[in-house]
Amino acid sequence: ELALEPQGSREVQRALEEARGAEQELIVRELQGHVAKALQSPHANHVLQKAISVMWPSDMFFIIPELLQWGCPSAIAKHPYGCRVLERLMEFFP
């Protein structure tokens, strides 16, 4: 819920940048089950992007199945915030 607000989004992004290892994993696990909501949020999508850019792909295993539950890749690519998340996935996930 914190990520859905402008200030909260910045705080969570900063926490993801500064935390390491298990602390990062705990933060990212809070996104699990909420990827679709974050994808559609003007603020939480930045948290999702940050998580993709700082975490190992294996730690983000839940993102792609949750995105596909929300919509097909072409729908995600056309969404104003979803396209950014899709870009980060292509950039950071091999």
Side-chain angles (χ1 to χ4, degrees):
E1 294 297 317
L2 186 63
L4 297 173
E5 301 298 325
Q7 183 61 34
S9 173
R10 287 188 287 274
E11 289 174 11
V12 175
Q13 289 175 68
R14 188 171 26 258
L16 280 168
E17 287 177 348
E18 295 173 0
R20 294 291 173 251
E23 289 177 347
Q24 276 182 325
E25 289 177 30
L26 286 173
I27 296 168
V28 166
R29 291 287 184 254
E30 293 295 319
L31 290 170
Q32 197 165 1
H34 305 285
V35 171
K37 190 173 185 177
L39 173 85
Q40 298 173 78
S41 166
H43 309 294
N45 84 83
H46 293 285
V47 172
L48 202 50
Q49 291 181 66
K50 179 59 71 177
I52 291 167
S53 70
V54 300
M55 299 296 294
W56 289 100
S58 60
D59 294 327
M60 303 295 294
F61 66 91
F62 59 91
I63 286 187
I64 293 176
E66 287 190 39
L67 287 176
L68 292 175
Q69 284 180 345
W70 182 81
C72 66
S74 63
I76 297 167
K78 293 175 187 173
H79 188 276
Y81 311 128
C83 65
R84 298 173 189 170
V85 172
L86 204 54
E87 287 175 11
R88 290 307 143 263
L89 285 169
M90 290 187 290
E91 182 177 358
F92 290 99
F93 280 27

